[in-house]
Amino acid sequence: CTPLASPPSCRVGDSCMRIHPVPSPNAVGSGNAQLYVEIGSRETQFGGSKAADASGLGGGLNNMLMNVAQLLHDSCGGGRHGNTTLVLPQLTSGWRFFKASQPGSRIKESVEFGDVFDAAAFAQRVAPCRVAEVAPVGVAVQEAAVVGINRQWPYEAWLPLVYGALAPSRKLQPAVAQMVRRAAAGGGPRWAAVHLRIERDWWVISGFCTARRFPHRRCYPPSEVASLTAASRLRRNVSGVVLIYAADNVARSGPEVRPEQFGARVLSLPSAPESTGH
């Protein structure tokens, strides 16, 4: 692709641009223009295409946040779109994320980044990197490609910045507060969250648990997680444990969850479909 071209989408590795420069309000001198970068309308976390009527990132929520870290690197960290403003991508619901499933479709309706997270707080916390929810009409816009997530994915250093900048949106704050109250009621005032990676997409579909496939072990059954975290929970005087996993998506062939292995006060928060429309 060449400057001034307007392709419908960009493949990973392309440098596609739609340029309509206007002076930035913060520019020094009339010849400067602020560039904005946004993902192509058919990009996904895997670098492939998806339904033509879907826009935004796809996959699990953490995968989408990893995509944001990569896009932030590219727009702010001297990457392929260095010194530009990242237009925060929409987040698609994937499988049972955010919204009720649509019959016959695994790609669900997109939601704005600001519907899930506090976009203004995110922008303040990632500064001096620049982000925006939308690009102003008439500014220069580059199309960014999403890099597939695999074991060679090189953007880990940007994850703390992204994770540390997140806060629930105003829409989600009541649901988050409800979950916190439920955790405190069941786990006590010093409850600890333990994330079990035992859903079928991780335990079975991904192949991460296949012996000798990866140089580092990635799969731990709940009984071993309980043992590995016991000393840390004791040292921190934890009053109870909140187990976090998608109980409605656990592989039948996967390990058994025995809450009593984590202590006397243990509870699991409900999965999204039974707790909130978000």
Side-chain angles (χ1 to χ4, degrees):
C1 300
T2 58
L4 302 180
S6 298
S9 64
C10 292
R11 298 180 301 272
V12 172
D14 285 348
S15 178
C16 300
M17 305 177 71
R18 299 194 307 275
I19 299 297
H20 304 284
V22 296
S24 166
N26 300 320
V28 178
S30 60
N32 290 342
Q34 183 173 342
L35 294 177
Y36 284 71
V37 59
E38 63 185 3
I39 65 171
S41 60
R42 296 170 65 86
E43 288 290 345
T44 73
Q45 61 170 315
F46 306 108
S49 296
K50 58 184 178 181
D53 60 347
S55 62
L57 300 174
L61 180 58
N62 188 62
N63 295 64
M64 290 187 274
L65 293 174
M66 292 175 72
N67 296 151
V68 171
Q70 173 248 308
L71 294 167
L72 199 60
H73 163 272
D74 289 355
S75 64
C76 175
R80 69 186 72 181
H81 304 287
N83 197 30
T84 59
T85 297
L86 172 65
V87 178
L88 292 170
Q90 292 185 329
L91 309 174
T92 55
S93 56
W95 190 78
R96 295 190 177 183
F97 276 83
F98 305 132
K99 295 187 177 183
S101 60
Q102 301 170 6
S105 174
R106 293 184 66 83
I107 299 296
K108 311 302 185 294
E109 183 180 352
S110 298
V111 295
E112 299 293 336
F113 185 94
D115 286 339
V116 182
F117 300 108
D118 186 330
F122 186 85
Q124 292 177 352
R125 294 169 183 174
V126 299
C129 296
R130 300 191 303 270
V131 299
E133 292 194 82
V134 294
V137 175
V139 302
V141 179
Q142 300 175 331
E143 275 197 4
V146 177
V147 176
I149 299 172
N150 53 40
R151 56 180 170 174
Q152 284 83 38
W153 192 79
Y155 306 99
E156 290 89 348
W158 285 76
L159 291 175
L161 176 65
V162 171
Y163 293 151
L166 297 175
S169 69
R170 183 175 299 178
K171 290 181 179 180
L172 279 185
Q173 284 175 1
V176 172
Q178 180 186 33
M179 292 292 185
V180 171
R181 289 193 298 269
R182 183 167 179 170
R190 295 181 58 83
W191 58 272
V194 176
H195 179 201
L196 301 177
R197 292 180 171 180
I198 56 175
E199 294 85 2
R200 61 189 178 97
D201 58 331
W202 180 275
W203 200 265
V204 178
I205 299 174
S206 68
F208 287 154
C209 302
T210 303
R212 296 182 297 278
R213 180 179 177 184
F214 296 97
H216 303 289
R217 186 181 175 196
R218 298 188 175 196
C219 300
Y220 297 84
S223 58
E224 190 169 358
V225 173
S227 177
L228 291 172
T229 61
S232 175
R233 290 185 278 115
L234 180 62
R235 185 168 61 252
R236 288 171 170 79
N237 194 27
V238 167
S239 58
V241 172
V242 177
L243 297 179
I244 298 179
Y245 64 100
D248 59 318
N249 193 27
V250 173
R252 293 183 179 180
S253 61
E256 179 185 5
V257 179
R258 298 176 58 188
E260 68 274 9
Q261 294 177 328
F262 290 86
R265 302 186 67 175
V266 182
L267 74 153
S268 299
L269 293 180
S271 299
E274 66 178 89
S275 62
T276 173
H278 300 294

